[in-house]
Structures are given as structure tokens and as C-alpha cells.
């Protein structure tokens, strides 16, 4: 199993980023996928998950600003982040849930990507 994130970077507050996660080594359409993030001084947390039928979970802090999607033909998961604030600064991780589980907590995750850094300047 491989999960490789890309698309992070440094942006000004109010800007946008689109993160990607290229998945390989497993049947992508059979698993619930998620994005986690770890902000400075805090534990890694689930921010948004995507079931086959649609969004399964999203954190209050990202509602209306973050959009998760997947391209099953390309085995790729996306995270569109709009209206970025300095509080969104952190490492963003792609995660595959354990089989049959949509990961809303670290214990639900079967595999992790290495992460991509997002830095938002004020």
C-alpha cells in the first residue's frame, strides 16, 4: 500500500490549495479515505472522510471551506482547501481506513501517507 500526498505549500491567508493523494497497492474504490491534519502543538486529527456514497465526517473547523473528492479512475484523493487561515497551518495526511471503517480517529486508520506541509501566512 502506498499513499503519496502532494500539493502543499505556503500561501497567504484567504488563499486556496488543492492537495492530492495518489494511492496504489490496493483496490481504491473498496476503502473509505480520509484527510487528517496535525497542527503545531496538537495531536493528529481527522478533518474529513469520504465514503463511496459521499462525505462521512467532517470537523466543524473545516465545514464550508474544505471539500474532499476522489477520482476512482486515477486512484487519487483530493482535498480542496479554501479561505485558508493561519490556524490551518500544519501537516496534512492522507489516510486509508481499515477495511469497512471510515476513519474518524487515528485508531480507525489502516495506512498513512507521509504528509504534505501547509503553511498559511497572515
Amino acid at each position: 500500500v502506498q499513499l503519496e500526498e502532494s500539493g502543499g505549500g505556503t500561501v497567504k491567508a484567504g488563499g486556496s490549495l488543492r492537495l492530492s493523494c495518489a494511492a496504489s497497492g490496493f483496490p481504491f474504490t473498496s476503502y473509505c479515505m480520509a484527510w487528517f491534519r496535525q497542527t503545531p502543538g496538537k495531536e493528529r486529527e481527522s478533518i474529513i472522510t469520504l465514503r463511496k456514497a459521499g462525505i462521512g465526517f467532517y470537523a466543524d473547523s473545516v465545514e464550508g471551506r474544505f471539500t474532499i473528492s476522489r477520482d476512482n479512475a486515477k486512484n487519487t484523493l483530493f482535498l480542496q482547501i479554501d479561505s485558508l487561515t493561519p490556524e490551518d497551518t500544519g501537516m496534512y495526511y492522507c489516510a486509508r481506513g481499515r477495511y469497512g471503517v471510515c476513519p474518524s480517529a487515528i485508531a480507525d486508520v489502516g495506512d498513512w501517507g507521509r504528509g504534505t506541509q501547509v503553511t498559511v501566512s497572515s
Side-chain angles (χ1 to χ4, degrees), residues 5 19 34-48 59 61-62 66 79 81 85-95 106 112-120:
E5 302 93 337
L19 308 184
W35 287 96
F36 282 64
R37 74 178 175 186
Q38 188 162 13
T39 55
K42 295 185 178 180
E43 293 186 352
R44 194 176 301 187
E45 62 176 350
S46 175
I47 51 174
I48 194 164
S61 59
V62 308
F66 287 30
L79 181 66
I81 312 175
T85 72
E87 289 71 34
D88 294 319
T89 293
M91 188 70 79
Y92 285 70
Y93 297 91
C94 176
I106 291 175
W112 296 97
R114 292 186 176 183
T116 185
Q117 177 69 35
V118 171
T119 302
V120 184

Side-chain angles (χ1 to χ4, degrees), residues 65-116:
R65 300 188 301 120
F66 287 30
T67 304
I68 189 172
S69 61
R70 62 196 297 168
D71 184 336
N72 290 331
K74 296 183 178 180
N75 288 358
T76 303
L77 183 73
F78 300 101
L79 181 66
Q80 177 70 36
I81 312 175
D82 298 317
S83 303
L84 280 157
T85 72
E87 289 71 34
D88 294 319
T89 293
M91 188 70 79
Y92 285 70
Y93 297 91
C94 176
R96 182 185 79 155
R98 291 185 287 109
Y99 188 74
V101 177
C102 261
S104 58
I106 291 175
D108 298 332
V109 176
D111 296 276
W112 296 97
R114 292 186 176 183
T116 185

